[in-house]
Amino acid sequence: NGIKDGIRDDWYAKFDLAGPAESRNMPYSGVIERPDLQQIYLDALPTGVVQNGDAVVRYEEVANSGISRSNGNGCYGVKAIMESGNVVEGDVLLGADGIWSSVRASMREEPVRGDGSGVSYSGYTVFAGELKYDSFDHGQVGYKVYIGPGQYFVITDIGKGRYQWYAFLAKPQGSSAKERKPNGNSIYLQDVFQGWSNDIHHILQATDEDQIDQRDLYDRPPSVIQPWTKGHTALLGDAVHAMMPNLGQGGCQAIEDAYVLAQELESVNSRDEIGGRLASYAKRRLIRSAVVQGLSRFASDIIIRGFDTPAKIVTDDDSNGLKLKLENFNYAGIVTRMLQPILPIFFSIQFNFLYEGWRNDTGFDLNAAVRFAIVGGLIIAIGAGTVEVSALFDGLGLDAVFG
């Protein structure tokens, strides 16, 4: 697992995904398709609990929610108004309705989309494909990121002989509707990645056109001042901390939200305690999720804006004898080569942070913060000439961290 030079197909940096688990006597992490994971969760619930097809439009808090229903005068704590006009009442409303959350919009009195929603276009579009694929390194490599100038390509083994791939490109918002692709997405991407690794072209050629989707990527800055909870309502997952997909942490952080919420709500003895328990959930999750949001965006920006084909000294044996040859010996190539020994250190800190704090017992991991600051600062310092520092801070959401 790791990063490869997209053009030369050499390993650039490798991830140690075993060490963080082994040092904590934890099972190894694995890859599972989202529909399979969702089905596992659905199968664990009684029939009829999950009802689809009628989205929440807005909600209202019920003023006398602290009164017990047993006396005949009380009612639930929250009323959710659905698209159909139906009203559903409950003690607690969890807004897990994604980046375009109607629950968040209702809580914060802001629009669901557009100006004022807090959602912004990341500057990147992604093409994604999934297929049954006979990879030459099946069972040996699970995750590969091919880097190069202005774009990158990811191939990941998702089990049962199936693979997913992602092509990340810096494009204007709405490019899918504006760019002509007369020969389809696969041919378009083969042209975009011309001269890159044969692995990329093999999997693109093996992918049927109806297996390829394109979507623009949006995210949000960390919600530090804006509320996660209000009364008996709380936000969860992308509704409150949507992030770039580079670390594969969007769904993972939503699961951590649910884990902490379950802990907090299990301790409730009366409805009067619900608001406080939800506030405790937000306090436990705020900093960790914000760090992962920032790391996800940082990874996007540094890979696309900062990385190039690494500079390399090679030997050229011709009729005149052995000669040294410089490849891509420009500023960006030299910087990319200089970052090579630093990235494994950064990955180690990152993976240990993700493994260590999943229980969310502490609000702030000072040790991890210091290590991130030192190594991340070094990466920014080295890459400052290839990536505008202001752009990196924009990516971390520091310009709108209180949004």
Side-chain angles (χ1 to χ4, degrees):
N1 302 286
I3 296 177
K4 300 192 80 172
D5 179 336
I7 294 175
R8 300 191 190 98
D9 205 20
D10 299 332
W11 282 105
Y12 176 77
K14 293 187 177 182
F15 307 145
D16 174 19
L17 297 180
E22 291 171 347
S23 65
R24 294 167 177 81
N25 293 317
M26 293 174 64
Y28 295 132
S29 60
V31 177
I32 184 171
E33 281 200 86
R34 186 171 298 222
D36 291 344
L37 179 60
Q38 290 173 334
Q39 193 61 52
I40 291 170
Y41 287 142
L42 288 170
D43 291 344
L45 295 172
T47 302
V49 170
V50 176
Q51 299 180 31
N52 294 315
D54 197 4
V56 175
V57 175
R58 60 185 177 87
Y59 76 89
E60 297 175 1
E61 289 276 353
V62 178
N64 60 341
S65 59
I67 303 174
S68 170
R69 287 180 61 84
S70 61
N71 61 16
N73 297 320
C75 58
Y76 292 114
V78 189
K79 293 195 301 185
I81 293 84
M82 318 302 288
E83 280 184 341
S84 65
N86 289 337
V87 175
V88 180
E89 297 187 9
D91 287 319
V92 179
L93 173 63
L94 302 179
D97 49 344
I99 190 170
W100 312 110
S101 170
S102 294
V103 177
R104 183 188 67 238
S106 186
M107 175 188 292
R108 299 179 179 179
E109 299 181 355
E110 63 186 22
V112 174
R113 296 172 180 265
D115 294 341
S117 68
V119 179
S120 61
Y121 178 56
S122 66
Y124 309 117
T125 192
V126 62
F127 291 80
E130 181 179 323
L131 69 158
K132 193 170 184 63
Y133 183 60
D134 185 17
S135 176
F136 74 96
D137 56 7
H138 177 70
Q140 302 173 28
V141 180
Y143 185 83
K144 297 174 286 189
V145 181
Y146 295 84
I147 63 168
Q151 57 201 33
Y152 66 104
F153 197 96
V154 178
I155 300 175
T156 181
D157 181 348
I158 59 174
K160 301 179 181 177
R162 297 190 65 79
Y163 280 74
Q164 289 178 345
W165 57 259
Y166 305 91
F168 291 85
L169 311 177
K171 294 282 186 179
Q173 186 176 5
S175 63
S176 60
K178 299 172 185 175
E179 283 189 306
R180 294 183 66 251
K181 306 180 186 73
N183 299 314
N185 287 317
S186 178
I187 297 297
Y188 170 80
L189 289 171
Q190 290 175 53
D191 290 341
V192 169
F193 286 92
Q194 186 176 8
W196 284 53
S197 167
N198 286 333
D199 296 351
I200 295 173
H201 290 272
H202 286 163
I203 201 166
L204 285 173
Q205 291 163 7
T207 309
D208 293 335
E209 194 62 31
D210 61 2
Q211 295 173 318
I212 304 175
D213 293 315
Q214 180 185 1
R215 67 183 187 275
D216 288 346
L217 297 176
Y218 296 82
D219 65 357
R220 297 177 54 82
S223 295
V224 176
I225 296 298
Q226 292 275 38
W228 283 47
T229 70
K230 187 176 182 181
H232 286 206
T233 302
L235 302 173
L236 181 152
D238 281 358
V240 69
H241 49 60
M243 58 190 69
M244 295 289 284
N246 304 78
L247 303 185
Q249 279 293 306
C252 297
Q253 291 304 302
I255 292 172
E256 288 191 22
D257 288 344
Y259 174 81
V260 174
L261 270 168
Q263 285 187 329
E264 295 294 336
L265 293 177
E266 282 174 351
S267 67
V268 170
N269 295 309
S270 72
R271 290 192 178 95
D272 292 337
E273 299 175 4
I274 291 175
R277 292 294 90 201
L278 293 180
S280 177
Y281 146 72
K283 184 177 180 181
R284 288 173 61 184
R285 289 290 298 134
L286 174 61
I287 294 178
R288 178 171 167 84
S289 64
V291 170
V292 177
Q293 274 183 286
L295 288 173
S296 298
R297 187 59 181 267
F298 180 81
S300 294
D301 288 341
I302 198 69
I303 291 175
I304 286 187
R305 301 186 190 186
F307 281 5
D308 203 327
T309 301
K312 187 177 183 180
I313 302 174
V314 297
T315 57
D316 185 9
D317 191 3
D318 60 17
S319 58
N320 296 320
L322 193 65
K323 293 183 179 180
L324 294 179
K325 181 180 176 182
L326 303 179
E327 290 185 353
N328 206 43
F329 228 72
N330 53 44
Y331 187 83
I334 293 171
V335 166
T336 305
R337 179 61 70 191
M338 290 174 65
L339 288 173
Q340 188 171 9
I342 300 172
L343 285 181
I345 301 172
F346 189 79
F347 294 146
S348 175
I349 296 170
Q350 172 183 292
F351 291 130
N352 277 284
F353 169 78
L354 293 173
Y355 270 89
E356 184 66 31
W358 62 271
R359 291 184 178 85
N360 293 270
D361 293 330
T362 59
F364 183 67
D365 186 341
L366 180 60
N367 187 28
V370 171
R371 287 181 291 172
F372 276 131
I374 294 172
V375 180
L378 185 57
I379 291 173
I380 291 174
I382 292 174
T386 57
V387 186
E388 292 184 17
V389 175
S390 60
L392 281 177
F393 284 128
D394 287 349
L396 290 170
L398 298 182
D399 63 325
V401 71
F402 300 113

